[in-house]
């Protein structure tokens, strides 16, 4: 898999993952599960990049179970971080389009992309090799959305 898109975004990831680890120690069970899932998914990208893991393996390991559980239990995703994404929350130029979004809308897009990647893989005999979709771009978009979500959640604690 082509990892060029991740080279510039991998640096600050260690601090974000450490922050999410601390944040997951909350008494709100669903909030804790969502933050853990975000942390784990970012770790999957980080380790996948480091070890040149295939897109198929990354997609298999990505999870949106906590998001689905939150939806099922009517969780208000704005509890992850109230307010809207402002210019100072955005560290990656490509995320400018999400300015003005809230945590709920961004989590919905993260969930949608994980589902889409998993479904494309299922529709193509368990692989994303040789599909017409631009899997590298889709995974890149997903990664940067998750990174933005983590940056957004962390912002109030700076």
């Amino acid at each position: 898999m082509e990892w060029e898109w991740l080279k510039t975004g991998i640096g600050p990831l260690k601090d974000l993952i450490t922050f999410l680890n601390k944040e997951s120690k909350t008494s709100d069970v669903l909030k804790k599960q969502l933050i853990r899932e975000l942390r784990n998914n970012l770790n999957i990208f980080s380790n996948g990049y480091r070890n040149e893991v295939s897109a198929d393996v990354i997609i298999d390991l990505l999870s949106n179970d906590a998001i689905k559980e939150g939806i099922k239990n009517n969780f208000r995703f704005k509890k992850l971080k109230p307010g809207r994404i402002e210019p100072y929350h955005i560290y990656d130029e490509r995320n400018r389009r999400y300015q003005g979004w809230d945590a709920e809308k961004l989590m919905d897009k993260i969930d949608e992309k994980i589902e889409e990647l998993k479904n494309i893989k299922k529709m193509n005999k368990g692989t994303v090799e040789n599909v017409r979709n631009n899997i590298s771009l889709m995974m890149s978009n997903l990664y940067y959305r998750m990174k933005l979500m983590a940056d957004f959640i962390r912002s109030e604690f700076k």
Side-chain angles (χ1 to χ4, degrees), residues 82-140:
R84 302 209 173 270
I85 296 169
E86 301 294 340
Y88 59 86
H89 295 122
I90 302 169
Y91 300 106
D92 301 293
E93 196 56 40
R94 65 187 291 161
N95 282 337
R96 292 272 168 229
R97 70 182 118 177
Y98 304 115
Q99 186 176 324
W101 287 31
D102 61 17
E104 193 152 349
K105 189 172 180 182
L106 188 56
M107 285 303 276
D108 181 58
K109 275 297 188 191
I110 290 168
D111 177 50
E112 178 186 320
K113 191 56 66 183
I114 291 172
E115 284 292 320
E116 185 179 10
L117 285 163
K118 287 182 177 290
N119 287 336
I120 289 168
K121 189 170 179 287
K122 286 177 192 165
M123 289 187 288
N124 291 283
K125 300 180 181 118
T127 184
V128 292
E129 294 292 319
N130 303 317
V131 296
R132 290 192 174 119
N133 307 73
N134 187 339
I135 298 300
S136 183
L137 179 62
M138 292 172 77
M139 291 181 69
S140 166

Side-chain angles (χ1 to χ4, degrees), residues 42 68 75 104:
L42 285 169
K68 288 191 247 182
F75 179 78
E104 193 152 349

Side-chain angles (χ1 to χ4, degrees), residues 5-13 92 143-144 147:
W5 54 266
L6 192 52
K7 278 185 183 170
T8 57
I10 202 79
L13 198 55
D92 301 293
Y143 168 78
Y144 279 96
K147 184 178 173 302

Side-chain angles (χ1 to χ4, degrees), residues 19 23 26-32 34-35 70 73-83 102-105 107 149 152-154 156-157:
F19 164 78
E23 271 309 285
T26 174
S27 60
D28 185 322
V29 175
L30 284 173
K31 182 177 178 181
K32 180 178 187 164
L34 288 160
I35 290 172
N73 288 292
N74 216 13
F75 179 78
R76 294 185 39 80
F77 288 88
K78 292 174 187 175
K79 285 172 89 178
L80 290 172
K81 169 73 176 182
D102 61 17
E104 193 152 349
K105 189 172 180 182
M107 285 303 276
M149 189 71 214
F152 182 48
I153 292 169
R154 180 171 69 166
E156 98 180 289
F157 299 101

